[in-house]
Amino acid sequence: MKAVFKTDRGKVRQHNEDNGGIFINSDGVSLAIVADGMGGHRAGDVASGMTIEFLSKEWEQTTEILTAQDAEIWFKNQITKVNQLLFDHSAEHLECNGMGTTVVAAICTNRFSTIANIGDSRCYLYNESGFKQVTEDHSLVNELVRSGQISREDAEHHPRKNVLLRALGTELQVEMDISTITFEEGDILLLCSDGLSNKVSENQMREMLMSDTDLNEKAAALIDLANQYGGEDNITLVLVQLCDESESG
């Protein structure tokens, strides 16, 4: 398996409130995470940073994720714990009042990938069948699309595009989406914050992933493209590719 994590402040924001990474447990199983923080004065980077720190530490001590059910239970338990951690921190620190973060994460084995998400950071899958979004945004605009009130085209430019219906750490109870997909040789997972998905179209993402370049170059090209289109937001992504044993290294 190959994986690349990249984050960029973008061209406008003073701070990078995104966070993420790729973490490998003692069994050699990978956990990829992207978190897009939000809140008061720099509280967003507190929320995303605490989320990554907690989940990565827990993951490094986790063994025997053998089935999709194991992975799904792990996400449910650990994301519930980190939600409580953020909620309590926000209540105890006035400067962090109302902070929260999106999270999209994938446990990747050589047979399956289990994906959890809260908010509008996304996971896409590129494989021999094409390129598709795996996660659903927990946003006001996506709910309007789902209920048929506006079109997907209208959603791209909707004035309330940034309104989230769910985030990690903002409520005492958290609801997450968890799903498992087949992960096969050659498949690529793209996890990203909305700093990428708001700027780069699905067609452009697919073309980048199809290109005859290595994973690192694909990641850099995607971030460059988001910046070329304005870079108004922080841009963060993880690419995970399942390759055959002779290629991995």
Side-chain angles (χ1 to χ4, degrees):
M1 202 170 293
K2 295 177 180 175
V4 174
F5 164 72
K6 283 193 185 299
T7 187
D8 191 271
R9 194 181 72 197
K11 292 187 148 187
V12 175
R13 298 281 176 93
Q14 294 295 308
H15 306 291
N16 191 349
E17 297 194 339
D18 286 3
N19 213 312
I22 302 146
F23 309 97
I24 300 170
N25 70 9
S26 58
D27 291 338
V29 180
S30 299
L31 170 68
I33 321 174
V34 167
D36 179 354
M38 62 215 171
H41 177 64
R42 296 208 63 184
D45 56 2
V46 175
S48 62
M50 285 175 68
T51 298
I52 301 303
E53 183 182 14
F54 178 86
L55 292 177
S56 63
K57 277 187 178 171
E58 290 297 320
W59 182 248
E60 281 157 11
Q61 295 163 23
T62 297
T63 57
E64 298 196 341
I65 299 287
L66 304 175
T67 66
Q69 186 181 21
D70 294 338
E72 290 172 11
I73 290 168
W74 189 89
F75 271 138
K76 190 157 187 49
N77 290 342
Q78 303 310 328
I79 290 175
T80 300
K81 286 180 192 171
V82 77
N83 185 72
Q84 183 77 54
L85 188 73
L86 296 183
F87 188 80
D88 291 348
H89 187 92
S90 178
E92 291 160 12
H93 298 81
L94 194 60
E95 72 279 10
C96 291
N97 189 23
M99 76 173 186
T101 184
T102 71
V103 65
V104 60
I107 292 172
C108 302
T109 76
N110 58 10
R111 292 177 294 110
F112 65 85
S113 184
T114 297
I115 298 134
N117 76 295
I118 300 165
D120 63 355
S121 291
R122 293 178 178 175
C123 177
Y124 297 91
L125 172 66
Y126 173 70
N127 62 15
E128 60 185 12
S129 302
F131 181 76
K132 67 174 183 179
Q133 184 177 333
V134 178
T135 53
E136 281 275 0
D137 294 353
H138 303 134
S139 64
L140 175 64
V141 164
N142 191 50
E143 205 49 48
L144 293 174
V145 171
R146 279 163 56 109
S147 62
Q149 293 178 61
I150 63 171
S151 69
R152 288 214 171 269
E153 291 69 32
D154 293 337
E156 293 300 316
H157 309 288
H158 196 279
R160 301 189 70 194
K161 187 167 181 173
N162 294 331
V163 177
L164 293 182
L165 300 181
R166 288 191 223 167
L168 188 63
T170 56
E171 305 279 345
L172 188 55
Q173 304 293 329
V174 68
E175 199 182 332
M176 67 198 88
D177 290 351
I178 304 176
S179 62
T180 296
I181 58 172
T182 304
F183 201 39
E184 298 179 323
E185 195 179 301
D187 292 1
I188 301 177
L189 279 186
L190 164 61
L191 280 62
C192 68
S193 64
D194 66 345
L196 183 73
S197 57
N198 279 344
K199 289 291 168 189
V200 180
S201 72
E202 288 193 9
N203 278 340
Q204 290 167 316
M205 291 181 192
R206 187 185 71 247
E207 283 171 14
M208 289 290 186
L209 297 184
M210 284 172 63
S211 67
D212 194 20
T213 56
D214 69 28
L215 221 52
N216 206 48
E217 290 169 315
K218 292 182 203 296
L222 285 165
I223 285 185
D224 287 348
L225 202 53
N227 275 323
Q228 281 174 38
Y229 289 137
E232 291 90 352
D233 201 352
N234 310 142
I235 308 151
T236 302
L237 64 86
V238 174
L239 291 176
V240 183
Q241 182 173 31
L242 191 57
C243 41
D244 65 37
E245 293 303 310
S246 64
E247 284 186 60
S248 60

